Amino acid sequence: MPQITVDYSAPLDRRGFALALHPLVVETVDTRIDSCKTRFREVEEFVVGDGTTDDLVVHVEIALLPGRTDETKARLAEGVLALLPAYLKEREGVRLSAEVRDLEPAYRKA
């Protein structure tokens, strides 16, 4: 059920990050590891602020079935931000962010 999307422009060890992220998600929100699905979307261009710097960005979004507290979601987001730097191939000028949210009621899977 955890639907994980990673938008990135920074060089990132994608597979390594996903394989480290899934156990963190399982431990934090009490789900099964085979339920974790991560997709990566490389973004060719990000413009940050006034565009005068060539910032790199990694944004991780984790969507969960409803029922987790705001504190649990915040703890997971903080864990993601702590984990990410180990999987960046370049750390200088990289902006990291994470969002943990509930899936919409219309979410279905087959």
Side-chain angles (χ1 to χ4, degrees):
M1 154 270 315
Q3 298 292 326
I4 305 164
T5 304
V6 181
D7 292 314
Y8 69 98
S9 64
L12 178 66
D13 173 3
R14 297 180 306 272
R15 183 171 179 77
F17 176 65
L19 292 175
L21 177 62
H22 293 174
L24 173 67
V25 173
V26 167
E27 178 182 318
T28 307
V29 300
D30 190 28
T31 189
R32 295 186 341 257
I33 199 153
D34 62 336
S35 296
C36 295
K37 297 171 249 5
T38 299
R39 66 179 169 198
F40 293 88
R41 300 186 297 200
E42 185 172 13
V43 179
E44 290 185 30
E45 184 173 1
F46 269 99
V47 177
V48 178
D50 64 5
T52 58
T53 60
D54 292 328
D55 292 304
L56 299 171
V57 177
V58 179
H59 176 72
V60 179
E61 179 182 292
I62 302 174
L64 305 167
L65 290 174
R68 277 57 177 215
T69 65
D70 288 342
E71 292 79 17
T72 297
K73 290 185 257 188
R75 192 169 64 249
L76 179 55
E78 291 164 6
V80 169
L81 294 177
L83 184 65
L84 258 173
Y87 297 91
L88 291 172
K89 297 175 183 175
E90 179 181 326
R91 294 184 185 166
E92 189 72 28
V94 179
R95 295 173 183 246
L96 305 177
S97 59
E99 176 186 7
V100 180
R101 63 174 183 78
D102 290 340
L103 286 162
E104 294 296 322
Y107 171 78
R108 300 291 186 272
K109 68 177 187 174

